[in-house]
Amino acid sequence: MLEDKQNEWDWRQINAFAAQNGALLGTYGLLSLVVYAVGLRYSQVSMLGFLLVLSSPFVGAFLCVRFRETITERNAPFSFGKGYVHCLLMGIYAGILIAMGLYMWFAFFDNGVFADAFLFAASQPHSQQFLQEMQQQGGMSNLYELTGATTPQQLADAFRILPASVWASSVLSLTFFVDPIISITENNSPPFRPTVDLKDISNNCWP
């Protein structure tokens, strides 16, 4: 039986689960970004890529809840600190994996491909309306302020000269914002396992 079954801190165990879950989450995040980037050029998969990117935090929350269910006994207490440390480490591992993938792509393979795909998507009628609504609601204000752009063309030009390290670091900074939210979900979500022991049922049914 694992030592953490008694609700004790085991850093090696938490780190091992975080590394495993971080690899899964990082792989999912990379694949979702690939599908999203393809969707900029091909509208048939644009919605799928958008949904995959949005679902990444929910996948992280599921992995965190599964970690809690694995290391604790039924109805046993689970501390917020333990859940936060696991979520933080998992996010760091996943962020490093995604950041490495983004850095390698923008440093060695992109050559303006993403900017061209963004500009192509922005030129489509339905995308133009969506971008205008996002800009009016302030959804892209930070992006325009950071790049100094005022039009999609200028934003695409900024993407072309943006260093690969900026793309990579943006993923790592996002980790520290999302992890507390996921850790709250981990501690407040209902357990997956049944609250009734099947052995107790069988003993009551059969004399």
Side-chain angles (χ1 to χ4, degrees), residues 50-69:
F50 184 70
L51 292 176
L52 287 176
V53 171
L54 288 183
S55 65
S56 295
F58 297 97
V59 174
F62 168 78
L63 293 173
C64 285
V65 173
R66 191 180 67 170
F67 161 75
R68 183 196 68 182
E69 297 293 301

